[in-house]
Amino acid sequence: MAIGTKELAVTELDSFENERLAEELKKAKAELFNLRFQSATGQLENHGRVRQVKRDIARIYTVLRERELGIRVTPVAEPAKKASAKKSSTKKTEQAPAAAETKEA
């Protein structure tokens, strides 16, 4: 089995949307920066964690690239729910300023 975080296994990454993958990538890069900083200052306790985080970053990049090439399918089940929720909330926010304008007049 490959070294890495169990939460970021390839099967888990397949279920993430591209936005979530970008967030995970950002967090992993920040963690790698902190680990390198700790290593440079002599405060790093677990040296194997650097390797794990590097592999997680590579795994995320691989999934993103495979999606670009069409090898992997991007999950699209949730955007339909979000779109309908945004429409109803947009109507409410559009009505609120209109109501405020009529009260002022």
Side-chain angles (χ1 to χ4, degrees):
M1 184 171 163
I3 297 174
T5 311
K6 289 184 180 181
E7 295 100 28
L8 296 180
V10 177
T11 54
E12 291 292 322
L13 292 176
D14 281 342
S15 65
F16 292 169
E17 295 178 3
N18 288 340
E19 294 83 20
R20 175 114 187 256
L21 282 175
E23 290 174 18
E24 292 293 331
L25 181 63
K26 195 175 199 180
K27 286 194 292 187
K29 284 186 171 186
E31 184 179 358
L32 182 61
F33 174 80
N34 290 332
L35 290 171
R36 285 182 176 161
F37 194 85
Q38 289 175 4
S39 178
T41 59
Q43 297 175 353
L44 185 62
E45 295 176 7
N46 184 4
H47 296 282
R49 184 70 183 140
V50 175
R51 186 175 185 184
Q52 289 175 345
V53 173
K54 283 183 177 181
R55 287 188 181 202
D56 287 341
I57 291 171
R59 201 172 287 124
I60 293 169
Y61 275 130
T62 301
V63 170
L64 286 171
R65 181 65 180 152
E66 286 177 348
R67 286 183 181 178
E68 286 177 12
L69 297 174
I71 298 170
R72 291 188 189 269
V73 180
T74 306
V76 290
E78 291 187 33
K81 293 178 184 177
K82 291 181 182 178
S84 63
K86 286 182 182 179
K87 288 180 183 177
S88 63
S89 65
T90 308
K91 290 179 183 176
K92 291 178 185 176
T93 56
E94 290 175 358
Q95 292 172 355
E101 290 175 8
T102 56
K103 288 180 183 177
E104 291 175 5

